[in-house]
Amino acid sequence: MPAFSLEPEQTTWCAELRTLAAERLKPLAEKGEPGRVNRPLVAALGDLGLLARLFDAGALELCLLRESLARTCTEAETALALQGLGGHPVAAFGTPAQRDRWLPEVAAGRAVAAFALSEPGAGSDAAALALDAVPDGRGGWHLHGEKRWISNAPEADFATVFARTTPGAGARGITAFLVPADRPGLGGEPLDMLAPHALGTLTFDGVPVGPEDLLGEPDQGFRVAMNTLNLFRPSVGAFAVGMAQAALDAALAHTAARPAFGGVLADLQAVSHRIADMATRTEAARLLVYAAATAYDTGDPDVPRRSAMAKLLATETAQYVVDAAVQLHGAAALQRGHLLEHLYREVRAPRIYEGATEVQRTIIAKELYASRRRDHGDGAPGAAPRHATAPRTEEVPSA
């Protein structure tokens, strides 16, 4: 069966999710405080069994879940995705004790998770990551430095934290730790962002961590990061597709009914052709996201390229579609509280987090040239040169 073909039960489930989001989750989202973790919303996601699916779902199911929620309630989608992003490293690399302690709490919505990778001087350039893990002489470390633009910070109950354990080793000298929020020396503050998500800083003033806090092996933290991001990048595209579809639905309804020049807006070719472009781009992005997710689920070795393509096209498409929908609505769409005003703020960030658009292009080009070298050999005529300064895939995660 083609990667983009969904079974009837899958489309039925997606419709059920949209209804659930409208009736159960959106009212809770609207009561939340902007810029803060909405714990009642997270708890509701747990009560409905949606968070538990994060840890046994395949990539395609994750994409369908995120797209469906995003079409109706972006806050619920984001709360769910952040639980997955922060909890997945524990599920995939945690010790039995770590998994037993935290995964039931995350799945139930009682514990809030964070994924702490980005720093003031290290986003896309992971080799510049500087949070310092200083050996304590007893087999553990003390963490010194700052993480910034971390979702759910500083309110998360624990964070997957990436720190430098081997100076000068670039991406290969990073270790992942599970750091509970009550560790001494751990602080932080919220950040005021364009879209009022729970986003903030984490500060580390000698935060103690030991071997029992390791996620994976020492100096192998970027394996943890890339394993997580390869799964979640296609689903970021699904989030974007959900927003694009919501904007397209709104634009269709508006232009079909809005009186203009003796008819309705849809009668104008300039408008109907714009709608056609919006729909075509949204569908193309959706198919690429589904194909990338299916590649992940089937163990395709081409996952990095496919995931990067899916995130690139879907997030750029969503930006275009939301902007076009605003244009078709006119000034009304810019009024606070309008769906498109909300989407206009929400749609900008996905082009940056979990690998900016430029990072995705770097990954895609790298993978294409690497494939050509494998097929033709390094010395093949026209083969791309190996630039010493070109970032490797594992060096450009950005979150």
Side-chain angles (χ1 to χ4, degrees):
M1 179 175 291
F4 52 80
S5 180
L6 297 180
E7 299 289 351
E9 57 267 26
Q10 290 174 308
T11 57
T12 298
W13 182 57
C14 289
E16 292 171 350
L17 285 170
R18 294 194 295 273
T19 300
L20 194 67
E23 295 178 354
R24 298 282 300 276
L25 301 176
K26 193 171 181 62
L28 291 172
E30 291 172 346
K31 294 177 182 178
E33 181 181 351
R36 305 300 297 270
V37 172
N38 186 333
R39 288 186 180 266
L41 178 60
V42 175
L45 289 165
D47 291 341
L48 293 169
L50 299 181
L51 295 178
R53 299 188 77 140
L54 290 170
F55 304 114
D56 56 23
L60 180 58
E61 183 176 332
L62 178 59
C63 286
L64 296 178
L65 180 54
R66 293 189 69 175
E67 179 187 345
S68 300
L69 293 181
R71 284 183 64 174
T72 306
C73 182
T74 59
E75 296 91 344
E77 186 285 332
T78 299
L80 176 132
L82 295 179
Q83 288 292 86
L85 190 64
H88 176 77
V90 182
F93 296 92
T95 65
Q98 290 170 331
R99 291 196 295 269
D100 290 345
R101 167 67 181 89
W102 290 108
L103 291 185
E105 296 297 301
V106 172
R110 293 188 295 265
V112 172
F115 185 84
L117 180 62
S118 293
E119 298 178 4
S124 298
D125 182 8
L129 192 150
L131 184 72
D132 196 12
V134 180
D136 64 5
R138 301 184 300 276
W141 300 264
H142 287 106
L143 304 182
H144 297 267
E146 179 184 355
K147 296 291 183 180
R148 184 173 286 268
W149 308 296
I150 306 304
S151 293
N152 288 339
E155 299 175 75
D157 297 297
F158 74 92
T160 297
V161 176
F162 297 87
R164 179 164 301 286
T165 42
T166 300
R172 292 180 172 83
I174 304 301
T175 299
F177 297 96
L178 192 162
V179 182
D182 60 0
R183 288 292 167 88
L186 180 61
E189 61 182 16
L191 295 171
D192 188 11
M193 308 297 290
L194 175 66
H197 291 171
L199 205 75
T201 65
L202 290 174
T203 55
F204 299 80
D205 185 12
V207 175
V209 289
E212 68 279 6
D213 299 313
L214 288 170
L215 289 170
E217 299 297 322
D219 288 344
Q220 299 298 312
F222 266 86
R223 179 168 173 256
V224 178
M226 291 310 302
N227 176 280
T228 303
L229 294 175
N230 280 337
L231 171 61
F232 277 85
R233 273 177 176 157
S235 71
V236 175
F239 172 40
V241 168
M243 288 191 287
Q245 188 65 55
L248 174 60
D249 292 344
L252 276 168
H254 176 73
T255 56
R258 176 70 156 84
F261 304 105
V264 294
L265 280 174
D267 296 331
L268 303 175
Q269 187 180 72
V271 172
S272 62
H273 283 192
R274 177 62 69 90
I275 291 288
D277 284 344
M278 294 161 66
T280 301
R281 294 191 191 191
T282 299
E283 187 67 7
R286 177 180 288 114
L287 299 183
L288 194 55
V289 166
Y290 291 178
T294 302
Y296 183 97
D297 288 340
T298 57
D300 192 315
D302 206 20
V303 165
R305 177 182 67 85
R306 289 180 177 273
S307 294
M309 284 182 167
K311 183 181 186 296
L312 168 66
L313 182 65
T315 55
E316 293 290 329
T317 293
Q319 181 81 57
Y320 165 80
V321 172
V322 171
D323 184 76
V326 169
Q327 192 72 15
L328 292 173
H329 275 74
L334 300 178
Q335 187 172 343
R336 287 285 184 185
H338 194 284
L339 168 65
L340 291 174
E341 180 268 337
H342 171 75
L343 291 176
Y344 199 70
R345 288 182 286 111
E346 289 282 327
V347 79
R348 187 60 184 84
R351 292 171 61 204
I352 296 173
Y353 67 63
E354 292 187 42
T357 288
E358 293 73 18
V359 167
Q360 305 313 316
R361 291 188 174 116
T362 297
I363 293 172
I364 293 163
K366 170 197 169 293
E367 294 294 327
L368 289 172
Y369 283 123
S371 177
R372 175 174 171 78
R373 286 194 295 270
R374 288 193 297 270
D375 292 342
H376 299 285
D378 287 337
R386 290 190 168 186
H387 298 297
T389 57
R392 297 180 294 275
T393 301
E394 70 271 17
E395 291 181 342
V396 285
S398 184

